[in-house]
Amino acid sequence: MLKQKPLAAAVALAWLGVAGTPALAQNDAGSTQMQTVEVTGIRASMAKSLAVKRDATANVEVITAEDVGKMPDKNLADSLQRLPGVAVRTDYDEAEKVAMRGTNPDMSLIVFNGHTVSSGDWYIADQASSSRSTSLSLMPSSVLNQAIVYKTSQANIVDGGLAGTINVTTRKPLAQKERLSGVASVGASYATLPGKTAPDLNASVNWKNEAGTFGFILQGFAEKRYIRRDSASRLAYGTSSGWDVINTTTMKGITDASLAGSGYKAADLNGVRLPGSMSTEFVEGVRDRKGGMFSLEFKPNQDVDVTVTGFTSTLKAPNYGRLKAGAIYSMLLGKASLADGATGATAPNTVGAQGQQVFASIRNPVIVTETTMYGDQLRVLKSADIMFADGTPPQYIGNSEGFYRQGARATSSFLDLDGKWRVNQDLTLKTLLSTTRGVGKTDYDQGLTYASFGTGVSYALAGVDNAPYVKYYGTGAKPDQLVVRTISGLKTTDRETSGQVDGEWRVDKGWVQSVEGGVRYADHHRESARRYPAYHNRDITIGAPTGTIPWPPDFGAGLDGPAGWDNTGYTFDPAVLMAYFQGATKATSDQYERRIASELHMRERQGAAYVMANLEGERWSGNVGLRFVQTRINADIPTPIPAGVCLRAAPGQPAIPCAAYPDAITTSGDLQPVYDNEPFKNNTGNTYYFIKTDRRFNNWLPSMNMRYELTKDQILRFGASRTVGRQNYNLLGAGFGSPTCDAQGCRVTGPNPDIKPLTSDNLDASWAWYFSRRSMVGVDLFYSRIQGYAKTGTTGGATIDLWDSAAQAMKTYTVQTSEQQGAHIAGLELSYEQPFGTTGFGFTSNISRAHTKVDDGRPMVGASEWAANLGGYFENDKVSLRLVANYRSEYVNSSTAPAPTANSQGLYSVNGVMMPTAPTMAAPVTTLAFNASVNLTPQLLLTFDATNLTNVKRAYYRYSEEEQQKLDVSGRQFYVNLKYRF
């Protein structure tokens, strides 16, 4: 017989969590309650989690707070990555974005209390992205009660989780045992690489009246930590700062004479891949997170229950990045330093009275053969001396820069109303209303770039886990020259209002125990805009900083750099950079600072309705359902108007009407200068107007889940479903750019508003044996076939009429954009956890494999084939200890929101070998975390948490590990807290 009857009780445990938390589908648990587990700590958490997992009809994984206000880790994403089939994206060794079963984070849906939560990213590159992935960096684990990961779908789950859905719940006031209780925690964080300590404060109180009909929870938190990242990488400026190939036709310094004694002729080097530059990077910052949560619950009787929950969090994260880089490729091409605002090095390196162009040569080359991830053989210049001829005066050899991101911050907040009304013993109605808003903002991304001069650069690539050798020659003879200044601000806003009504009708007829149905509507807005202040003068050297600060002497110590490598650099105090830009820029108007070409304006309305039958028979249970989803997308696509067609208004002046384009926006500057004491030019640079799109997409999502008890302790599950995931916003609403006309026709990059949502047909079969308390072993097989996977950088037949200034005529441009293709995922997950008798010791373990393949043969973005976890714990009435190792294999580390203009799916010819464009691969990584707590008294608890104990290096490469791309180290993080419970 089933352990719990009716079926609705078991399903409700999965939806409602351990303590009656809000639910995704809001199934009714009736009068059946989970047995209360009196012990706290790791053992109680595991018992509660396994109870929900065991009784759920769907295939789920569960994480439950060990105690009030204490999830197993400092970060929920850290906890989630311990589960089979779950991986995370990490920034500065803090897990932030969650991926499931070999997909990227955009394909996983994270909801809080059953509704989506908008969030803004703290880093400017992520703020400018239009990813759908949810960052957990604003969500302290202390506010959370439970997280349920749904690996199989069912009709009453909120749509949007292509690979899976994670429902994170907060506590409900009336579910707490005591009338008055609370927790106050005071502590500190310490980061080893920056060597700084910061406060870590948290407090909550829970009260309910004697009748148990009204209660509230109030919580506040203030958590701060310092970050630092040391890197050796391939990031730089200049011509082809990435990987490229040697071409002796254009690299005229490579001659047979320059290669004398090396065993090579100049022609032998043609087609050999080499890094365009070598660089070191140094980033410092802070993450200062403050916010709070409240929850009010009113339950006047057993038939009515209403809960209001509010949450807000602000993460202030100013950060300062510095870079020192060589310009190897530019030196070989004879290119000089960047001019102000230029995007490539175009001026030649020159010497002598006649201004002869100077080319660097290659000396002492070491060439190896790599086998790429696609099986092709390529040659790589593993090490070399890139030198100008002896006696040549110092020439351009690289850059140094510093960028301070002032006012970088992210906010996230939500307010929800969760109500339940038991109309009678057979009918229960529920409603969930929510509003959420997230903002990512950087007040000023401001920086200066200096050109460096010298006589040469040496480099030697190392193993993928060790810093490469780099050394600069002849520097200092000619002072570095300020060549670029950049300042801009960015704000991205994400908001949604949603409402849903669910009902359950108990029928108890044959196999059908109950029927559920409901409707949901959500109105989602996404906006992103960048602002560029105007400068007073053309001369960028006016008021330029004069004094510099050297990099810290321990820079790169954790990168295992070779003896003699150059790990030095200079920088400016952030206050100096801010003072320079404050003096260099001037106020114009909000409208004039707009950069319309990069703006994003999206509205997405989601409507859904479902019906689902809950079934139950002898030793089996399940559900069968159908969900209908309609997605309506409106986008304002910024479209260029040729220079001079529409006149631009001066800052603060009224818009100038444009007869040719009545919708033209003529009040924005779009990077056009307005210098002091210079006439304003109103006919330069592109102006823009918005093309408005309106698309509707309909999807039918059938689902079935079956649960069968082989024995009392062995459970078989099978799930089949179709799920939907929505495309990243930029694929639908990015602007047009880079118009080009040649003998092959006219082309322009742009979005594809017709690109459909992704769908996935999924199969899942699992067996689990719960052979004793807090023990289980499980096997899970899954397969997903995805339709609609984005193929970027392609030509799908879309066209647009634009003005061709060279021909002085309108022409039809083919839009290089995104198409769609198929992909599939097949995988296996194994889990095993068990305590060792009554000793207090125990372990948890899992390993998963997800084999992914896109139809055109590329690897799927963000997909790790292997992931594994191994954890051990010890706990008694006084002490609780846990040590957990997490492994993730290599994966494509491209952005989770690739631009539609990026040729990420194109082909690339290297020395006659035609291959897919090289992605950036993240190498395998293993991390180690430790948690400990000691009960000093029944009310007083001392905790210690440590992350990244082994101080891992995160390595990245291109076609193979021979093409080293980047190496990061961020240091260890320690947290000590004294917690008082009452």
Side-chain angles (χ1 to χ4, degrees):
M1 299 294 291
L2 290 174
K3 182 179 179 181
Q4 295 189 20
K5 286 180 176 271
L7 167 70
V11 176
L13 290 175
W15 288 125
L16 300 177
V18 179
T21 50
L24 277 172
Q26 305 183 40
N27 297 327
D28 186 13
S31 60
T32 305
Q33 300 293 328
M34 181 183 296
Q35 180 181 357
T36 301
V37 181
E38 295 296 333
V39 293
T40 61
I42 297 173
R43 294 170 295 175
S45 170
M46 294 178 64
K48 294 174 183 178
S49 297
L50 286 182
V52 176
K53 177 178 174 65
R54 173 177 178 149
D55 292 329
T57 299
N59 185 3
V60 302
E61 302 290 345
V62 185
I63 297 172
T64 305
E66 297 176 13
D67 201 352
V68 173
K70 188 179 189 303
M71 290 296 284
D73 296 276
K74 294 295 293 183
N75 183 307
L76 175 62
D78 283 326
S79 297
L80 289 170
Q81 73 174 329
R82 319 271 188 237
L83 299 175
V86 179
V88 299
R89 195 194 86 173
T90 301
D91 286 322
Y92 297 89
D93 281 297
E94 180 177 2
E96 284 197 311
K97 298 192 175 184
V98 179
M100 295 175 60
R101 288 187 161 176
T103 62
N104 67 342
D106 296 311
M107 298 181 183
S108 300
L109 179 65
I110 300 179
V111 296
F112 285 74
N113 294 338
H115 59 80
T116 59
V117 172
S118 295
S119 64
D121 290 292
W122 65 273
Y123 184 58
I124 191 165
D126 291 324
Q127 292 169 353
S129 167
S130 57
S131 167
R132 289 184 182 268
S133 57
T134 300
S135 174
L136 295 174
S137 61
L138 282 90
M139 307 293 173
S141 60
S142 57
V143 306
L144 309 175
N145 178 67
Q146 190 178 75
I148 302 178
V149 180
Y150 292 89
K151 295 181 175 180
T152 59
S153 187
Q154 52 194 42
N156 54 7
I157 291 181
V158 175
D159 49 85
L162 187 83
T165 302
I166 302 171
N167 185 34
V168 181
T169 59
T170 56
R171 291 180 293 134
K172 298 190 75 172
L174 299 183
Q176 309 310 306
K177 184 177 180 180
E178 298 85 4
R179 284 191 57 201
L180 178 64
S181 61
V183 177
S185 176
V186 58
S189 67
Y190 176 73
T192 60
L193 194 55
K196 294 181 179 179
T197 302
D200 192 6
L201 307 173
N202 202 299
S204 67
V205 60
N206 191 113
W207 175 88
K208 61 181 178 180
N209 62 9
E210 186 172 357
T213 58
F214 177 75
F216 66 81
I217 295 174
L218 295 176
Q219 180 165 0
F221 53 87
E223 302 171 342
K224 186 176 182 180
R225 72 183 186 98
Y226 290 94
I227 60 173
R228 172 176 154 183
R229 185 180 69 196
D230 294 359
S231 303
S233 77
R234 283 279 318 91
L235 177 64
Y237 293 118
T239 301
S240 190
S241 62
W243 283 84
D244 216 312
V245 296
I246 297 173
N247 181 349
T248 57
T249 301
T250 55
M251 300 176 179
K252 299 178 181 180
I254 305 174
T255 63
D256 292 347
S258 70
L259 292 167
S262 68
Y264 292 103
K265 298 292 187 181
D268 298 333
L269 271 63
N270 280 321
V272 174
R273 285 176 62 78
L274 83 162
S277 67
M278 301 299 298
S279 65
T280 46
E281 299 174 62
F282 169 45
V283 181
E284 287 182 306
V286 64
R287 289 186 173 183
D288 190 357
R289 180 171 57 194
K290 292 183 175 68
M293 185 196 76
F294 75 88
S295 183
L296 305 174
E297 185 176 11
F298 178 57
K299 190 175 182 180
N301 53 54
Q302 293 300 311
D303 297 326
V304 176
D305 191 349
V306 179
T307 304
V308 177
T309 303
F311 171 84
T312 185
S313 177
T314 297
L315 179 68
K316 295 180 180 179
N319 55 96
Y320 190 13
R322 294 78 131 188
L323 170 76
K324 180 179 180 180
I328 295 170
Y329 205 81
S330 293
M331 293 167 61
L332 293 171
L333 288 174
K335 301 294 186 179
S337 59
L338 291 163
D340 182 21
T343 58
T346 56
N349 262 323
T350 59
V351 65
Q354 302 302 318
Q356 300 94 334
Q357 190 171 7
V358 180
F359 297 86
S361 64
I362 294 178
R363 303 177 187 176
N364 304 312
V366 175
I367 299 174
V368 300
T369 299
E370 67 171 335
T371 301
T372 73
M373 66 181 71
Y374 302 111
D376 297 296
Q377 300 288 308
L378 296 179
R379 294 179 299 157
V380 176
L381 189 63
K382 194 74 172 181
S383 67
D385 302 321
I386 314 299
M387 306 295 295
F388 291 104
D390 295 341
T392 302
Q395 303 294 310
Y396 170 64
I397 63 169
N399 295 93
S400 292
E401 73 170 23
F403 270 75
Y404 181 62
R405 296 166 186 104
Q406 175 186 354
R409 60 192 180 274
T411 62
S412 179
S413 59
F414 69 79
L415 179 67
D416 62 53
L417 171 65
D418 180 14
K420 183 183 77 172
W421 176 32
R422 189 171 67 177
V423 181
N424 53 48
Q425 63 179 2
D426 295 324
L427 178 62
T428 299
L429 298 177
K430 293 190 176 185
T431 185
L432 178 61
L433 307 176
S434 72
T435 182
T436 179
R437 185 175 187 266
V439 177
K441 187 176 183 182
T442 300
D443 291 337
Y444 296 108
D445 178 21
Q446 53 202 331
L448 301 175
T449 300
Y450 287 77
S452 302
F453 300 88
T455 58
V457 179
S458 291
Y459 81 90
L461 300 178
V464 71
D465 292 318
N466 295 291
Y469 175 84
V470 61
K471 187 175 179 64
Y472 304 95
Y473 300 97
T475 57
K478 182 178 180 181
D480 286 357
Q481 175 187 350
L482 178 59
V483 292
V484 174
R485 60 180 177 184
T486 302
I487 182 170
S488 64
L490 178 66
K491 181 179 180 180
T492 296
T493 303
D494 189 269
R495 52 193 171 91
E496 179 176 295
T497 300
S498 65
Q500 67 184 67
V501 177
D502 301 275
E504 182 179 7
W505 178 41
R506 296 179 183 273
V507 294
D508 289 329
K509 291 183 179 180
W511 292 342
V512 181
Q513 298 297 302
S514 66
V515 176
E516 295 183 53
V519 294
R520 180 180 184 270
Y521 177 80
D523 191 357
H524 195 105
H525 293 259
R526 176 87 171 196
E527 297 174 348
S528 183
R530 200 154 193 161
R531 296 289 191 269
Y532 288 82
Y535 295 106
H536 284 287
N537 302 289
R538 290 181 180 274
D539 188 352
I540 67 176
T541 64
I542 297 175
T546 55
T548 62
I549 303 171
W551 287 11
D554 65 344
F555 171 80
L559 295 174
D560 292 335
W565 75 309
D566 192 336
N567 63 342
T568 63
Y570 65 83
T571 187
F572 304 101
D573 187 285
V576 173
L577 277 179
M578 289 189 290
Y580 169 81
F581 281 101
Q582 185 175 9
T585 59
K586 63 180 181 181
T588 53
S589 68
D590 288 342
Q591 280 294 310
Y592 199 83
E593 290 185 357
R594 291 177 67 182
R595 175 66 169 125
I596 293 180
S598 62
E599 289 187 0
L600 185 74
H601 302 276
M602 301 284 299
R603 184 184 184 189
E604 182 177 271
R605 283 163 281 187
Q606 306 164 9
Y610 75 91
V611 61
M612 187 178 79
N614 294 313
L615 312 174
E616 188 169 340
E618 186 67 22
R619 300 177 64 178
W620 68 272
S621 60
N623 58 62
V624 177
L626 180 65
R627 187 179 186 93
F628 171 75
V629 177
Q630 183 179 87
T631 306
R632 182 180 179 184
I633 298 175
N634 300 103
D636 295 341
I637 301 174
T639 306
I641 301 172
V645 174
C646 296
L647 299 181
R648 190 186 315 277
Q653 296 301 308
I656 300 176
C658 181
Y661 294 90
D663 295 328
I665 302 171
T666 59
T667 54
S668 64
D670 277 290
L671 301 182
Q672 294 306 300
V674 52
Y675 297 123
D676 294 348
N677 303 317
E678 291 190 19
F680 176 73
K681 298 179 180 180
N682 63 2
N683 60 350
T684 60
N686 290 334
T687 53
Y688 292 83
Y689 71 102
F690 288 116
I691 293 178
K692 297 183 179 296
T693 67
D694 189 348
R695 301 291 190 274
R696 286 180 174 86
F697 304 101
N698 297 328
N699 295 101
W700 294 91
L701 308 178
S703 62
M704 178 185 71
N705 288 279
M706 302 302 294
R707 178 183 185 274
Y708 181 76
E709 289 191 358
L710 286 173
T711 66
K712 183 178 70 172
D713 299 318
Q714 295 189 56
I715 310 297
L716 284 177
R717 287 185 177 86
F718 174 78
S721 65
R722 173 170 292 176
T723 51
V724 66
R726 297 176 174 92
Q727 303 285 355
N728 284 323
Y729 302 106
N730 61 348
L731 300 183
L732 300 155
F736 295 98
S738 305
T740 301
C741 290
D742 53 28
Q744 285 73 44
C746 294
R747 299 171 301 280
V748 66
T749 60
N752 183 358
D754 295 317
I755 193 168
K756 299 177 181 178
L758 299 89
T759 59
S760 179
D761 294 324
N762 315 293
L763 297 174
D764 186 282
S766 64
W767 167 81
W769 179 23
Y770 301 87
F771 54 89
S772 67
R773 183 172 172 80
R774 301 192 305 276
S775 303
M776 68 86 65
V777 60
V779 180
D780 195 354
L781 296 169
F782 60 90
Y783 175 82
S784 295
R785 178 63 183 176
I786 298 172
Q787 295 294 332
Y789 189 79
K791 181 185 177 99
T792 58
T794 63
T795 301
T799 61
I800 185 173
D801 291 334
L802 297 174
W803 180 264
D804 178 15
S805 56
Q808 290 294 297
M810 296 294 292
K811 288 188 177 181
T812 299
Y813 285 71
T814 299
V815 181
Q816 290 184 301
T817 184
S818 301
E819 293 181 352
Q820 295 184 270
Q821 58 183 325
H824 74 256
I825 307 169
L828 169 69
E829 297 168 353
L830 304 174
S831 305
Y832 178 29
E833 58 185 82
Q834 181 181 1
F836 296 124
T838 59
T839 64
F841 288 96
F843 74 94
T844 61
S845 63
N846 61 72
I847 185 170
S848 61
R849 185 192 184 199
H851 177 72
T852 64
K853 185 178 180 181
V854 182
D855 283 356
D856 60 12
R858 273 79 166 180
M860 186 175 289
V861 174
S864 284
E865 183 172 2
W866 292 96
N869 295 276
L870 178 62
Y873 64 87
F874 171 79
E875 186 175 61
N876 58 27
D877 293 340
K878 292 291 185 181
V879 177
S880 176
L881 308 171
R882 182 193 339 237
L883 183 67
V884 181
N886 174 264
Y887 169 79
R888 183 179 184 183
S889 67
E890 66 271 11
Y891 62 96
V892 178
N893 190 54
S894 303
S895 167
T896 57
T901 59
N903 194 21
S904 61
Q905 304 293 332
L907 295 177
Y908 182 62
S909 178
V910 182
N911 203 24
V913 178
M914 188 66 70
M915 297 180 304
T917 303
T920 299
M921 302 295 298
V925 64
T926 301
T927 59
L928 193 64
F930 176 73
N931 313 96
S933 62
V934 179
N935 293 311
L936 303 178
T937 71
Q939 288 78 37
L940 199 60
L941 180 70
L942 180 66
T943 65
F944 172 77
D945 299 274
T947 61
N948 192 28
L949 273 174
T950 55
N951 192 22
V952 297
K953 291 177 288 184
R954 298 184 180 272
Y956 307 87
Y957 60 91
R958 297 299 293 271
Y959 277 126
S960 78
E961 292 187 359
E962 298 293 341
E963 298 190 17
Q964 193 174 16
Q965 183 72 10
K966 191 176 183 183
L967 188 68
D968 290 338
V969 65
S970 297
R972 301 172 178 87
Q973 300 280 340
F974 300 104
Y975 304 85
V976 177
N977 291 84
L978 189 63
K979 178 184 295 185
Y980 177 72
R981 299 175 293 193
F982 61 91

